[in-house]
Amino acid sequence: MLTEYGKFLKKLRIDVGETRAQMAKRLGVSSVYLSFIENGTRDIPLALSANIWETYHLTPEQTKELLAAERANPIHRYTIDLNDFLDSLPHIQATQVFATMLPKLSTQQAQEVNLLLQEYAVKNDIPHIVWNFSS
């Protein structure tokens, strides 16, 4: 069954004139895996929405649609690969604290953390996603 997220992907693909194989290649996933995501038989990978946003230069309206589709088909888990940080105790500790504290933050506190991280990314020219709904 096509999910809301799958419907968004299919509509975007049609709008830009791509096949599933072409979209999968641009997003760095296999066509079969993309089909699984569309049909709801696989979780939405954590970075997929950000990758779609960046790859397809979504408008603010498309961004809202993407996020609504993602919320309708929530990501069931988030994974942080600690392999890059095996020699960095501060990174491992920060990851543990973040994972433990995030569910305890109020909406305002979560927004403040998000803003802090977005500002850091801009200041240090780190690729990031800014979900701006003010437009």
Side-chain angles (χ1 to χ4, degrees), residues 27-127:
L27 295 174
V29 299
S30 74
S31 183
V32 171
Y33 189 67
L34 187 60
S35 177
F36 287 155
I37 293 168
E38 287 181 2
N39 291 305
T41 58
R42 293 288 188 276
D43 287 343
I44 302 166
L46 177 60
L48 185 61
S49 293
N51 192 7
I52 291 166
W53 183 81
E54 188 172 291
T55 301
Y56 290 95
H57 309 286
L58 299 184
T59 65
E61 185 59 37
Q62 288 173 313
T63 301
K64 288 178 186 178
E65 291 174 22
L66 174 62
L67 292 177
E70 185 177 279
R71 279 192 302 274
N73 300 278
I75 298 169
H76 298 288
R77 64 184 168 274
Y78 294 95
T79 303
I80 298 175
D81 186 353
L82 295 177
N83 285 327
D84 293 337
F85 308 119
L86 290 178
D87 295 330
S88 176
L89 184 59
H91 281 91
I92 292 171
Q93 289 172 329
T95 302
Q96 290 170 334
V97 169
F98 189 74
T100 302
M101 295 304 298
L102 188 59
K104 296 172 176 37
L105 298 179
S106 68
T107 300
Q108 180 179 347
Q109 290 168 325
Q111 289 170 335
E112 290 170 4
V113 169
N114 183 45
L115 181 61
L116 176 71
L117 293 173
Q118 296 289 355
E119 288 173 350
Y120 179 84
V122 169
K123 180 180 176 185
N124 292 284
D125 198 28
I126 299 169

Side-chain angles (χ1 to χ4, degrees), residues 5-18 23 26-27 51-53 55-59 62 65-66:
Y5 201 84
K7 289 176 189 176
F8 176 86
L9 289 175
K10 185 174 182 178
K11 181 181 181 310
L12 178 64
R13 188 170 65 244
I14 291 168
D15 288 350
V16 299
E18 290 183 348
M23 177 178 264
R26 283 186 74 186
L27 295 174
N51 192 7
I52 291 166
W53 183 81
T55 301
Y56 290 95
H57 309 286
L58 299 184
T59 65
Q62 288 173 313
E65 291 174 22
L66 174 62

